[in-house]
Amino acid sequence: MLIRSLIGGSKMFSFKGFYLLSFASLFALASCIDGFAQQSGGGRAEPEPVRTESRVRRVTKPAVKRTAPKRTVTTAKTAETLEAEADKLFDSGDHDSALAVYQSAVKVKPLLKSLYRIGWIHNEFEQYSEALIALNRAAAIGPNEAVVFLEKGYAHRRLKQNNEALAALKKSVTLDPKSYIATYELGALHNDLGQYRDAVTSLSQSVANRSDYSESYEELGFAQRKLGLNNEAIISFRNSIRIDATNSGAFMGLGDAFFYGTKNYNEALDPYLKGLEYAPENQIAAYNVAWIYNENKNYTEALRWANRAIKIKPDYYQAYSEIGYANTKLGRTDAAMAAYQTALRYKPDDANSHFGIGDIYFDNVKNYPLALASYTKGLSYSPKNQTALYRSGWCYNNQKRYQEAITILQSLITINNKPAHYHREIGFSYWQLNRVAEAMTSLNRAVQLNPDEAASHYYLGLIYVGQRNREAAMRCYRELARLNYANAPTLLDRINAMR
């Protein structure tokens, strides 16, 4: 019975003998193939992007405090007198009382300033539909007032009325191109709509209008990152943090630029951790931190952060999958399986969790048929996962289902033909089907890609022995000796036994 080793793993497996005589029978293989780095599991999913959805802080305005209105206003006063009283309340930060007085004023006369401030206060109270009623009246009175259209755009954007928001904000910028808030709001809306080049234009204008506004740099960094301008994004996010060292969105954005942009995961870790100090309920950032710790093989910390993400969002299936991965690496098979199964309960088509279960069967349990079943299920949802394809091919070979191995490994090599062990695995499949010419082509390709691919040298040496090609077999032996490969003496014995 053929018992195959996993080629390409940090763990050592054994390879028991079988024979190939010339082109039709089996060579006697030696007892041990070892020294290969195991491929990582079926492949953890890339974490989803972090973007905090906090309301824009407009630093030119007082903080909003909800209080009961202080007085009941009679209509005996003129609209202008009422507006003046409301202005004093507004400036003191008592917006509830100011709103009541402004509303009394416009009942007497539709004053532009009172209507504008009614809209402004409703926006601050997140009463956007009420804001638009007042602001539309204000726009009719003052069609050239940039701040009125800024507030209209602000309200429409929060109501997801993007076309109306775009029109209002563009008009505001046209009327006052030096407004850092209007250009910021327009740029942020372009980001919402995925119009990143337009966003960069507007946000660059915003930071030119006011160079100390943290949110503009943060939003500019987001647009730059989405355009793949990662170095520029990093500079923008750092500028945002320099201006406001408590801006959690800028820290998250900086982490994203390193994580998703430059793939420098270790550089992403500190900004994420800092951002979580100011926004501790950001479950995606907590998950990303767990992902990074798993990547760094710090599985205990990975578990801590993934569990924190689940505490924030109990149905966070990606975090359960990350817990499964960490427990798999810690050898906690039951806990890993439970975590992956929980993830699949929340999202049955999560390929990552199917791959994770496959890894448990493959690495921990050594049940290759069950591993293959899980990989196959995961590949139905994520058909181009290279490690799952490779391991599926390996499992097919282990079960002597060589043609099925060839089919899946051919699809893998179509996706990526650079890894040497892909060619070695399909070469093994061809060899077992006595398709020696194809086997040699694949194995020679493997050693071209990686001259230290010892198993490929070994397989080629055995094939050359079967072909009675002593010189070629000795070349393979010398490579194995150079690599201090355990089965080099076995190949030499086969060469010496040639007649």
Side-chain angles (χ1 to χ4, degrees):
M1 176 179 177
L2 173 62
I3 304 175
R4 290 200 55 244
S5 71
L6 171 63
I7 305 300
S10 61
K11 299 178 182 178
M12 307 304 178
F13 298 84
S14 62
F15 211 122
K16 296 204 172 172
F18 59 98
Y19 299 87
L20 176 67
L21 298 177
S22 185
F23 298 103
S25 316
L26 294 174
F27 275 116
L29 287 182
S31 60
C32 183
I33 290 182
D34 53 9
F36 295 92
Q38 181 177 340
Q39 297 302 299
S40 61
R44 294 182 297 132
E46 281 272 309
E48 56 199 87
V50 171
R51 192 177 185 198
T52 49
E53 293 297 337
S54 57
R55 190 165 190 270
V56 177
R57 297 174 309 196
R58 295 192 276 186
V59 296
T60 56
K61 299 187 177 182
V64 177
K65 297 179 181 178
R66 297 308 309 262
T67 59
K70 291 180 178 179
R71 68 196 74 185
T72 302
V73 184
T74 66
T75 57
K77 298 179 182 180
T78 66
E80 289 78 8
T81 300
L82 293 170
E83 184 176 79
E85 288 184 9
D87 287 345
K88 292 178 181 179
L89 293 167
F90 183 91
D91 292 340
S92 73
D94 184 359
H95 293 127
D96 283 279
S97 297
L99 178 61
V101 180
Y102 282 131
Q103 287 171 332
S104 294
V106 300
K107 287 179 181 178
V108 178
K109 183 193 297 186
L111 299 175
L112 174 61
K113 180 180 179 182
S114 292
L115 288 167
Y116 163 70
R117 286 200 164 176
I118 290 170
W120 191 100
I121 294 170
H122 278 307
N123 269 344
E124 288 297 296
F125 293 159
E126 300 181 8
Q127 298 164 344
Y128 305 121
S129 296
E130 292 88 337
L132 286 170
I133 293 171
L135 292 166
N136 284 331
R137 292 180 66 191
I141 298 169
N144 295 316
E145 293 293 334
V147 291
V148 172
F149 290 95
L150 167 60
E151 287 303 315
K152 283 189 63 176
Y154 186 94
H156 282 303
R157 182 179 170 223
R158 271 64 190 178
L159 291 171
K160 308 298 184 185
Q161 297 169 350
N162 295 323
N163 290 335
E164 294 87 344
L166 199 60
L169 291 170
K170 284 182 175 180
K171 182 161 186 177
S172 180
V173 171
T174 299
L175 292 168
D176 183 9
K178 294 296 184 182
S179 169
Y180 73 95
I181 287 289
T183 48
Y184 164 78
E185 279 289 327
L186 181 57
L189 177 58
H190 282 307
N191 271 341
D192 293 345
L193 298 175
Q195 299 165 350
Y196 304 119
R197 295 193 184 280
D198 291 331
V200 167
T201 299
S202 296
L203 293 162
S204 296
Q205 186 177 353
S206 180
V207 299
N209 290 342
R210 180 172 174 177
S211 61
D212 64 346
Y213 191 51
S214 177
E215 283 80 359
S216 293
Y217 283 107
E218 176 196 341
E219 204 70 26
L220 176 59
F222 180 84
Q224 290 166 331
R225 185 178 73 77
K226 298 298 283 188
L227 290 171
L229 304 172
N230 296 304
N231 293 331
E232 293 88 339
I234 289 167
I235 293 170
S236 294
F237 287 126
R238 284 177 168 161
N239 279 330
S240 180
I241 293 166
R242 173 180 54 79
I243 296 165
D244 181 1
T246 66
N247 187 338
S248 63
F251 281 110
M252 300 304 185
L254 182 58
D256 287 350
F258 285 122
F259 194 100
Y260 301 105
T262 65
K263 307 295 185 185
N264 191 334
Y265 303 125
N266 290 331
E267 287 288 338
L269 185 59
D270 185 65
Y272 281 147
L273 291 174
K274 194 69 174 178
L276 283 161
E277 291 180 18
Y278 302 112
E281 297 303 305
N282 189 318
Q283 78 274 4
I284 299 175
Y287 164 76
N288 284 5
V289 168
W291 198 99
I292 294 168
Y293 278 126
N294 265 337
E295 197 73 5
N296 290 339
K297 301 182 180 180
N298 189 340
Y299 305 120
T300 301
E301 279 297 292
L303 287 171
R304 184 167 77 88
W305 282 96
N307 277 302
R308 176 168 168 174
I310 288 169
K311 186 175 180 180
I312 301 167
K313 188 177 188 294
D315 62 348
Y316 200 174
Y317 70 91
Q318 295 100 324
Y320 282 107
S321 185
E322 213 61 30
I323 288 171
Y325 182 88
N327 278 318
T328 299
K329 295 301 183 180
L330 290 170
R332 301 170 182 170
T333 300
D334 291 343
M337 186 68 77
Y340 283 129
Q341 288 172 341
T342 301
L344 290 172
R345 187 169 71 248
Y346 288 118
K347 188 171 177 58
D349 61 349
D350 178 34
N352 193 41
S353 294
H354 287 292
F355 294 147
I357 291 173
D359 290 345
I360 292 173
Y361 286 128
F362 194 101
D363 294 319
N364 300 56
V365 182
K366 307 295 188 292
N367 188 325
Y368 303 120
L370 287 180
L372 177 60
S374 293
Y375 290 139
T376 301
K377 186 70 171 178
L379 286 166
S380 70
Y381 304 119
S382 180
K384 293 186 178 181
N385 186 288
Q386 294 182 40
T387 308
L389 288 167
Y390 168 72
R391 286 190 162 194
S392 295
W394 192 97
C395 289
Y396 279 126
N397 274 338
N398 182 263
Q399 297 173 43
K400 301 184 181 180
R401 297 162 65 179
Y402 303 121
Q403 186 55 56
E404 290 167 281
I406 289 170
T407 299
I408 203 163
L409 291 167
Q410 283 176 333
S411 69
L412 171 61
I413 291 170
T414 299
I415 296 168
N416 183 3
N417 64 3
K418 299 301 182 185
H421 62 284
Y422 295 179
H423 295 276
R424 178 244 297 137
E425 195 66 28
I426 198 170
F428 179 89
S429 307
Y430 285 130
W431 184 26
Q432 298 311 300
L433 292 177
N434 197 27
R435 294 163 63 174
V436 176
E438 292 162 291
M440 293 180 71
T441 297
S442 295
L443 295 169
N444 277 311
R445 179 59 178 157
V447 297
Q448 288 172 359
L449 290 166
N450 180 11
D452 294 341
E453 238 292 320
S456 294
H457 288 296
Y458 183 53
Y459 294 159
L460 282 168
L462 291 171
I463 291 172
Y464 286 130
V465 168
Q467 294 175 334
R468 307 296 181 187
N469 188 336
R470 180 184 295 270
E471 182 179 352
M474 282 300 298
R475 284 200 304 270
C476 294
Y477 166 73
R478 285 191 290 270
E479 287 297 311
L480 295 177
R482 175 182 66 83
L483 296 168
N484 196 27
Y485 183 60
N487 282 351
T490 301
L491 178 60
L492 183 61
D493 288 344
R494 296 291 171 190
I495 294 170
N496 291 334
M498 290 172 61
R499 296 186 181 87

